[in-house]
Amino acid sequence: MASRSVTSVTISEDPIAYENTHVHAIYEQIAPHFSSTRYKPWPVIAAFLSSLPPGWVGLDSGTGNGKYLPLPAESPGRVWTIGLDRSLNLLKIAKNAGGVCREVIWANVSDQPWRKGSFDYAISIATIHHLATYERRKQAVQRLLQAVSPSHGRILIYVWAVDQDDLSKREIPVVDDLSAAEEPGKDVFVPWVLPSDTVQTRQEQVFNRYYHMFAKGELTQLVSEAAEEMGLYVGAKSERAGIHRGIDFKQNGWERSNYYVEVHCWAV
């Protein structure tokens, strides 16, 4: 049986094929059980969605079972979030999140199935860390920046952190190789245990999912570099005269073993 421990990995094959095997195929198999454990919104994400102006339309890139699609809970329908995910089995659950028929699309977070600037806001919760290279993670951030309005778009991104809290069941392995230790973050397999009562077998099954665990400051750097590559200024609108488009970090924090950033787009 596979180990239940978090283990270090080295990616030596095509990253798309690697993700297909070690991320997408696994979520298709564990979707119902995974969804049963994902039902309570995290406070910062719930507050972000509650802060949005009425009538805004947004994107949940990597929506999973769609637990954030019904929010804000205190005023359902005040904003409308469209879900995107690569797992068809999770999307089938997200389609009826909160007991209401939702708009969802089957696609990858690196795809661009809509016109640029179509959304007022976007969230990406615990998704970008499943992409197997820096370039693919940067591309996913750029897709979020392209999806929202360049003048008022807001984006919230969450990724798993190397720094785990005391309640975490995950123990991140120490990297012994000096050259690897100099790299930000850690590539690991995180096991998902499917109990025997959820499958037609008497034995539990363990699936090893790929994650890039982010180091402190790595997410901010990734978003900044993604924006700069698109020709966007990183900083407040008032900081530079003659600059026409940019992004500003409104939040940059750590919550429940995750790093997160909130970004606001601006244009003049």
Side-chain angles (χ1 to χ4, degrees):
M1 181 178 295
S3 171
R4 295 191 184 192
S5 302
V6 176
T7 56
S8 296
V9 297
T10 300
I11 302 165
S12 57
E13 60 184 276
D14 175 72
I16 296 177
Y18 193 86
E19 293 163 16
N20 285 340
T21 300
H22 299 293
V23 180
H24 304 313
I26 291 175
Y27 277 105
E28 292 292 25
Q29 295 181 78
I30 69 173
H33 185 239
F34 176 83
S35 178
S36 70
T37 68
R38 298 297 190 271
Y39 52 87
K40 187 176 182 180
W42 291 354
V44 172
I45 305 168
F48 171 82
L49 292 169
S50 295
S51 72
L52 300 171
W56 272 23
V57 177
L59 165 68
D60 184 354
S61 183
T63 192
N65 68 347
K67 74 173 182 177
Y68 291 108
L69 299 184
L71 270 59
E74 70 277 9
S75 52
R78 189 164 63 87
V79 299
W80 188 252
T81 309
I82 296 173
L84 176 152
D85 206 277
R86 177 61 172 73
S87 170
L88 191 58
N89 286 336
L90 283 173
L91 277 184
K92 291 176 181 177
I93 300 171
K95 179 69 176 176
N96 296 295
V100 174
C101 184
R102 304 289 171 185
E103 293 183 63
V104 296
I105 182 172
W106 185 35
N108 204 312
V109 296
S110 59
D111 295 336
Q112 192 176 16
W114 20 66
R115 298 189 309 273
K116 293 181 180 179
S118 296
F119 297 101
D120 298 298
Y121 62 94
I123 62 174
S124 176
I125 311 303
T127 297
I128 290 176
H129 55 214
H130 283 310
L131 299 174
T133 66
Y134 170 81
E135 288 299 324
R136 288 180 58 72
R137 293 189 286 272
K138 182 172 65 174
Q139 183 184 55
V141 173
Q142 290 174 336
R143 292 292 181 259
L144 295 171
L145 291 168
Q146 291 164 342
V148 301
S149 166
S151 61
H152 67 260
R154 300 182 190 177
I155 298 171
L156 182 66
I157 302 172
Y158 265 66
V159 293
W160 279 14
V162 170
D163 303 309
Q164 299 283 293
D165 62 25
D166 294 337
L167 299 177
S168 174
K169 299 178 181 179
R170 299 178 290 270
E171 184 174 343
I172 309 305
V174 176
V175 179
D176 296 325
D177 180 15
L178 180 60
S179 61
E182 293 173 350
E183 296 295 324
K186 295 179 181 178
D187 293 322
V188 298
F189 276 157
V190 178
W192 183 273
V193 180
L194 199 61
S196 58
D197 60 357
T198 63
V199 293
Q200 295 179 348
T201 176
R202 293 183 179 180
Q203 293 185 334
E204 65 183 23
Q205 294 181 326
V206 180
F207 298 89
N208 283 311
R209 301 164 295 160
Y210 166 77
Y211 282 79
H212 176 79
M213 310 290 278
F214 277 65
K216 185 176 182 179
E218 185 181 356
L219 178 58
T220 304
Q221 180 181 353
L222 178 68
V223 174
S224 297
E225 292 182 3
E228 289 170 348
E229 194 172 275
M230 294 171 60
L232 302 176
Y233 175 71
V234 178
K237 184 192 303 187
S238 60
E239 288 182 2
R240 290 287 297 273
I243 302 296
H244 299 291
R245 286 187 58 191
I247 64 167
D248 191 13
F249 286 95
K250 295 299 182 181
Q251 292 192 78
N252 182 356
W254 178 92
E255 181 191 27
R256 296 180 60 180
S257 302
N258 289 258
Y259 286 118
Y260 67 89
V261 294
E262 179 183 346
V263 172
H264 289 196
C265 300
W266 54 264
V268 294

